[in-house]
Amino acid sequence: MSSSVDLSLATRASNPDAVPKLVQELHALQGSMQDGDEEMRHQLVVKTRRLLQSLLTPREQMLQHTWADPGLNAALITGVDVGLWKLMVNNGVDASQKVDALAESLGMDPVLLGRLMRHVCAMGHLEEVGQDEYKLTNFTKSLSLDVIGDGYLALLGGIGRSPIEFYKFLRETNWRNPTDAAHTAMHASYNTDLPNCFEYLRSVGLGPQTNHHMGGYRQGRLPWMHPSLYPVEQTLFPGADTSPDAPLVVDVAGGLGHDINEFKKLYPNHPGKLILQDLPVVIQDVQGLDSSIQLMSHDFLTEQPVKGARAYFMHSILHDWPDDVCQKILARLADAMKPGYSKLLIFECVIPRTGAYWEATAGDILMMTQLSALERTEDHWRQLIEGSGLNLKITKFWTSGHSDVENVIECELA
């Protein structure tokens, strides 16, 4: 028996029956929320999204996805690229600012700028003071920060076609789960033979912006070495070689050094030395790190030059690669580890079997469409690390017990 959906369904609130209960739950949660309570804030975000989706009609949601969000992205990317948000902050973070004056300073057509800012305002990200006159919100203020704003240039402006055209890639690959790092939706969308999206972004002049985003998306999350997440002073320091040249932590593919620098600030009296590794093109851009941190050019697919470190650390590295490449990376590290002494610490998303958080699932789609890679469940992590003949075992998944997207996956030689 065939069935069909009546068109009237698309013009009514999606789930009006859920609204009263959601409003009550939001009121109850708000009443018990305290500043800095991230777990409560996450619950409020999830329920607020459900409330909005219950109130919106399917027609409105379609227009938001296909009109409003792409239009907002166009305006935000342009604003970052032309320096609009930085200009407005420099003019006064809480100042009322006219489109004509901003356009003159930027060398832009005021009609064009006015149309873009009007949509940003309509989407809730500028405060309208009068006709063609606006004030910044906290969100648009934050776009002046490179670690926030540059993500729009890199991920949307640089490689944003990949998820949009993913369906074309799937048609060509017969709807198979992507697992080939050399053949991704990004390669197809941008007709490039470069090894991966990072190389492509550098080739189009967006390398620094990509590095800024790498440091920006994790802001506000607990750092891996925070005592409530991974107890460094109880797990790494006891038994560590205390000689000055003994490697304590090797941050493998650590980018611009955000993690290793934070470790140094939190544990200034650590034993041994800290080492930051990445490709030469990344290491040459490193600035502002503690002078005691050693910088080292290294490709993680080649032999690990630092042998017998207390800990080899990787943050959001393995999610960039399908399993076959990850096994090669892990094998290089296992070869360098000292039995009974070295630890491998992997700081990555661990998706639960049910009730996944949207940041985790969004990251999974991003990895799939750009790199033919993935965010992994606990079961998949065990399969990758312990079931691939790598002589490694997982000793513990460390979490703070809140809505953490990332866990510390502690491994040792088997």
Side-chain angles (χ1 to χ4, degrees), residues 117-154:
M117 295 184 73
R118 185 186 303 134
H119 184 54
V120 175
C121 180
M123 295 296 287
H125 301 305
L126 285 171
E127 179 185 339
E128 190 171 51
V129 177
Q131 182 177 359
D132 287 332
E133 187 174 355
Y134 302 99
K135 292 175 66 175
L136 293 164
T137 63
N138 282 346
F139 169 68
T140 39
K141 289 174 187 176
S142 297
L143 289 176
S144 68
L145 303 171
D146 289 339
V147 293
I148 302 298
D150 277 359
Y152 290 82
L153 283 175

Side-chain angles (χ1 to χ4, degrees), residues 165-182:
E165 299 183 355
F166 187 48
Y167 74 100
K168 297 180 183 178
F169 173 77
L170 291 177
R171 284 178 179 176
E172 296 173 0
T173 58
N174 224 9
W175 307 98
R176 301 298 183 193
N177 184 51
T179 59
D180 185 353

Side-chain angles (χ1 to χ4, degrees), residues 195-212:
N196 52 57
C197 66
F198 304 109
E199 294 293 337
Y200 175 76
L201 286 165
R202 281 194 281 268
S203 77
V204 295
L206 290 172
Q209 290 83 355
T210 304
N211 288 335
H212 288 149

Side-chain angles (χ1 to χ4, degrees), residues 324-337:
D324 61 332
V325 180
C326 288
Q327 289 163 6
K328 295 175 183 176
I329 297 169
L330 292 169
R332 295 296 189 181
L333 292 171
D335 288 344
M337 293 170 67

Side-chain angles (χ1 to χ4, degrees), residues 224 230-232 234-238 240 248-249 263 310-311 343 345:
W224 73 271
Y230 185 75
V232 168
Q234 287 76 46
T235 56
L236 291 189
F237 291 178
L248 178 72
V249 177
F263 185 98
R310 181 62 164 151
K343 296 178 182 292
L345 304 177

